[in-house]
Amino acid sequence: MGSSDRLFCRQRTLHEIVGGGIVADVILWRRKDLTLWILSITVATWVVFERCGYTLLSLISSVLLLLVTIIFLWAKSASILNRPAPPLPELHLSEDMVNEAASFIRSHVNDFLSVSQDIAMGKNPRLFFKVAACLWLISVISGLTDLITLCYTSLLLVLTIPALYEKYEDYVDRQVVLMYRKLHQFYVKLDEKRVLTYQQWILEKEKLS
């Protein structure tokens, strides 16, 4: 298919449009093991939070309690039985890691504040309307569902729709382009009828006058 027969007359492939690299591979199921792993974790997380009634704080507390208990019992039994202690990594944050994290956060926060100031001062009206529309859409959607279900549904759509589109790309593009052309032809005919009706109305008005 030529570029004129593609959706939006695009030149790039779908893999390039969604960002390329490992992210595109995951979204388009080119790394099926990783995609299935992410999807399984997402489903398990949704079940834990929505069906089992856990909250984020209670889940983290339960997991940490289980880990601390296992490590404690392992260490005690190892000392009694003269066995090696549990192989724990050194829990230490270096100064370089903290400085890099702080620099990363500071840079992004400053960018966010700069953009927010431009929006508030009216320097970028187009960006203002985009942000306002996104916030309004988020407000509407959040009123219909909760955050966990929204994240789960969004990730499920991201991992299914692009892959299905890539699989049936030629058929979908052909049908969408065909539909667009039919709508365009209908609009042209409707516009011609409207112009003709207007011209007839003008002629009748001139005759009456």
Side-chain angles (χ1 to χ4, degrees):
M1 295 179 66
S3 60
S4 60
D5 295 328
R6 293 292 185 186
L7 198 58
F8 306 119
C9 298
R10 69 179 192 275
Q11 300 289 338
R12 298 185 299 169
T13 63
L14 184 60
H15 189 270
E16 294 173 342
I17 292 175
V18 296
I22 188 173
V23 175
D25 291 342
V26 171
I27 292 176
L28 298 177
W29 289 73
R30 296 186 181 180
R31 296 194 177 187
K32 293 184 179 180
D33 295 340
L34 185 56
T35 305
L36 286 173
W37 182 81
I38 293 175
L39 194 58
S40 302
I41 293 296
T42 304
V43 173
T45 303
W46 182 79
V47 170
V48 167
F49 284 116
E50 290 296 318
R51 297 303 178 186
C52 299
Y54 276 95
T55 62
L56 181 60
L57 184 59
S58 64
L59 179 63
I60 293 175
S61 300
S62 300
V63 172
L64 289 177
L65 177 61
L66 180 61
L67 289 176
V68 169
T69 303
I70 292 174
I71 294 173
F72 175 79
L73 294 177
W74 187 353
K76 283 298 182 182
S77 61
S79 62
I80 294 173
L81 301 174
N82 293 324
R83 306 289 292 179
L88 290 177
E90 183 180 359
L91 302 177
H92 174 71
L93 286 177
S94 65
E95 185 176 354
D96 293 337
M97 292 176 60
V98 174
N99 290 335
E100 289 179 4
S103 177
F104 176 81
I105 295 173
R106 181 182 60 82
S107 175
H108 283 73
V109 169
N110 286 336
D111 291 341
F112 173 76
L113 293 176
S114 177
V115 172
S116 300
Q117 185 177 7
D118 291 343
I119 294 174
M121 299 299 293
K123 296 181 179 179
N124 196 335
R126 180 179 297 179
L127 182 60
F128 165 76
F129 287 111
K130 287 181 179 180
V131 172
C134 290
L135 292 176
W136 175 80
L137 183 62
I138 292 173
S139 176
V140 172
I141 295 176
S142 63
L144 301 176
T145 183
D146 57 277
L147 180 62
I148 297 297
T149 303
L150 177 62
C151 294
Y152 167 75
T153 306
S154 301
L155 185 58
L156 191 64
L157 292 175
V158 168
L159 293 178
T160 53
I161 291 180
L164 289 174
Y165 172 72
E166 186 184 43
K167 185 176 181 180
Y168 303 102
E169 182 177 1
D170 292 340
Y171 176 78
V172 173
D173 286 352
R174 193 181 305 113
Q175 295 300 318
V176 171
V177 170
L178 182 61
M179 185 181 301
Y180 170 77
R181 290 174 179 172
K182 288 183 178 180
L183 288 174
H184 181 69
Q185 292 175 358
F186 174 76
Y187 174 77
V188 170
K189 291 180 180 179
L190 185 65
D191 192 55
E192 290 176 352
K193 289 182 180 180
R194 187 182 303 171
V195 171
L196 183 60
T197 304
Y198 180 71
Q199 290 176 346
Q200 291 176 351
W201 178 77
I202 292 177
L203 291 174
E204 290 177 0
K205 190 175 181 180
E206 290 178 350
K207 290 179 181 179
L208 292 175
S209 60

